[in-house]
Amino acid sequence: MNHQEAARREHTVTDKVLTSFANTADPRLRAVMLSLVRHLHAFAREVRLTEREWETAIEFLTRAGHITDDRRQEFILLSDVLGLSMLTVAINEPKEPEATEATVFGPFYVDDAPEVPLGGDIARGAVGTPCYVSGQVRSVDGSPLGGALLHVWGADDDGFYDVQYSADHSAGRGWLRTADDGSYHFWTVLPTPYPIPDDGPVGDLLVAAGRGPMRPAHLHFKVVAPQHHTLITHIFVAGDPHLDDDAVFGVKESLVVEAEHHTAGQAPDGTHPEEAWARMSFDLVLVRESTS
């Protein structure tokens, strides 16, 4: 079979698949599937995908499915290390220069985090240097957003989230509401750098690619306020050695925050920590839905 005939047969397969989706009722689904087929088939032709490579990819995805449960999301992790998560964030993020920049959601958010009172301790037993976090939630026009909902979660000093210990362990996460003036403050533990879970197929992929699994120290925020675009973001600790090689490409310069280190003594909320503690301050600025 000559090259021209082989190419014709390959494109005939693509054309038949495109035709099969051409009558999809939902216009958005039709557009997405037609584009997916075109790009996926073009990828296979470009790299001259072998049958063994196809089998390896199926095995990889099967392993990702088997390791995924309600506490671990390997597919989100895969999306993260491929940069798809951050690309999706960039495509959908409100284009408002005054707003806090968004970043990846990550695989460790859970819906059933406990409520923590304003000024309370989100760490709840998580090991690490106590860290006082404060700031204000406001709209891009400067108006404070009282009663805004803050979901916060982070890893402990050993680099693990609570869900990586056991299903019934809850620490280092919680939700609270801002005060009437939009201010918030709470205690947690100072973030430290850690490797993403690398004991599964995504970890194997990073090893094969010669890439590292590290994420720089960060704290996750999900901020919800009426009539405003929900914000998913982190704050990163300035000076972290992995700011330039984040395994999931989530670092943005505007989200890097200095951590002030203090000896035992009075904290801003009037408490008196008996050990060294840290402080991080960061305002969260949301975009109104009508301008997103």
Side-chain angles (χ1 to χ4, degrees):
M1 184 187 306
N2 60 37
H3 177 74
Q4 187 175 17
E5 177 61 18
R8 185 192 67 78
R9 290 191 178 188
E10 291 175 10
H11 283 279
T12 295
V13 174
T14 302
D15 292 341
K16 286 182 177 180
V17 179
L18 290 171
T19 299
S20 76
F21 284 105
N23 294 323
T24 302
D26 184 300
R28 176 59 179 171
L29 178 60
R30 180 172 63 251
V32 168
M33 292 308 302
L34 291 176
S35 182
L36 174 63
V37 169
R38 291 190 190 99
H39 286 279
L40 188 60
H41 285 221
F43 157 77
R45 282 192 292 270
E46 178 183 338
V47 302
R48 306 312 300 168
L49 191 68
T50 68
E51 291 182 344
R52 180 55 194 151
E53 290 166 342
W54 176 86
E55 291 170 356
T56 299
I58 297 300
E59 292 167 0
F60 178 92
L61 294 174
T62 300
R63 290 177 58 207
H66 286 165
I67 204 171
T68 296
D69 56 26
D70 60 349
R71 295 286 175 172
R72 174 169 177 166
Q73 237 301 352
E74 194 77 359
F75 287 105
I76 290 180
L77 203 61
L78 176 60
S79 175
D80 289 348
V81 303
L82 293 177
L84 180 60
S85 299
M86 277 306 297
L87 177 59
T88 304
V89 168
I91 292 169
N92 292 277
E93 185 176 16
K95 306 303 186 284
E96 172 52 67
E98 299 303 317
T100 299
E101 292 190 277
T103 189
V104 293
F105 197 48
F108 294 118
Y109 172 80
V110 298
D111 289 322
D112 58 351
E115 179 180 6
V116 176
L118 187 63
D121 183 17
I122 283 175
R124 296 181 4 268
V127 177
T129 301
C131 185
Y132 182 81
V133 183
S134 63
Q136 183 191 44
V137 178
R138 61 179 182 269
S139 186
V140 288
D141 64 4
S143 57
L145 295 176
L149 178 63
L150 268 68
H151 294 265
V152 186
W153 65 103
D156 63 16
D157 206 38
D158 294 321
F160 293 106
Y161 291 82
D162 52 0
V163 296
Q164 293 177 278
Y165 289 104
S166 67
D168 58 356
H169 181 70
S170 179
R173 72 174 69 244
W175 63 270
L176 63 151
R177 291 192 180 276
T178 59
D180 290 343
D181 63 355
S183 65
Y184 72 87
H185 59 286
F186 59 85
W187 286 92
T188 185
V189 293
L190 184 66
T192 59
Y194 64 84
I196 62 173
D198 57 358
D199 58 341
V202 171
D204 293 343
L205 174 62
L206 291 179
V207 171
R211 287 176 52 187
M214 295 301 294
R215 292 221 65 202
H218 63 278
L219 188 64
H220 294 259
F221 284 86
K222 176 182 177 182
V223 191
V224 183
Q227 300 178 338
H228 285 75
H229 186 88
T230 295
L231 172 67
I232 305 293
T233 195
H234 305 353
I235 54 174
F236 295 90
V237 179
D240 187 281
H242 299 287
L243 289 173
D244 293 329
D245 63 352
D246 182 6
V248 306
F249 312 101
V251 177
K252 295 182 177 180
E253 185 176 351
S254 68
L255 304 178
V256 178
V257 179
E258 292 287 345
E260 303 173 5
H261 292 270
H262 301 269
T263 57
Q266 183 170 317
D269 61 353
T271 60
H272 291 76
E274 298 179 354
E275 57 185 319
W277 57 281
R279 178 179 184 178
M280 299 179 74
S281 300
F282 191 75
D283 291 346
L284 297 152
V285 183
L286 274 60
V287 178
R288 290 191 176 275
E289 290 180 341
S290 59
T291 61
S292 63

